[in-house]
Each structure stands twice: as C-alpha cells, then as structure tokens.
Amino acid sequence: LLLFTDGIIELKNSEGEEFGLSRLEKFFVEHIDDKKELFLDLLDRAIKEYTFDEEKRDDILLVTIKPSTSIEYLNLFYSISNEIWIIN
C-alpha cells in the first residue's frame, strides 16, 4: 500500500514535465521487494536525477505499508476501506 502527497508527483524537471503518477507507480512496482531503507534511498536518487536536484517547492510525504501475509493485507485493506474520509 502506497500513500503519498501530491508533492511527489508534481515535481518538475527542467523542461517543466511532472514526475507523475505513472513514473511513481513504475518505480514502486520495480522496487516493491526492496528493504525500506534501499527503497527510500533509490526513490530519493530518482527524484534528484529527475529534477536535477532543484529546489522542491511542495511537501513530499510517502508512506508504505507492507503486510507480511496476504491475510494481513486483506485485513488492512478492509480496515482502511471502512475508515476512509474525504475532506474537501
């Protein structure tokens, strides 16, 4: 499960193109089995390479939750889906 703020997908490169949801999704799929420290280090590197380490103007928050079993995942999904609040 990957939760994130829009700051990460709205990061822009020197040509004004956003990092985007598809790029984040591809990264997540490619590194889903990495240890959390490696995952975060590689994501930080990918962001810096994409933005050429330019100043970030928005917050970036990323939370990953990886249950150890399929049953834990189903229980987590059920819990979250029953507790989602949309705040406008």
Side-chain angles (χ1 to χ4, degrees), residues 11-22:
L11 288 168
K12 295 182 179 180
N13 63 14
S14 60
E15 296 173 6
E17 298 170 342
E18 291 185 345
F19 192 76
L21 184 59
S22 60

Side-chain angles (χ1 to χ4, degrees), residues 63-78:
V63 177
T64 60
I65 301 171
K66 186 176 181 182
S68 59
T69 66
S70 297
I71 297 299
E72 286 182 19
Y73 178 77
L74 292 173
N75 288 336
L76 175 67
F77 179 76
Y78 180 75

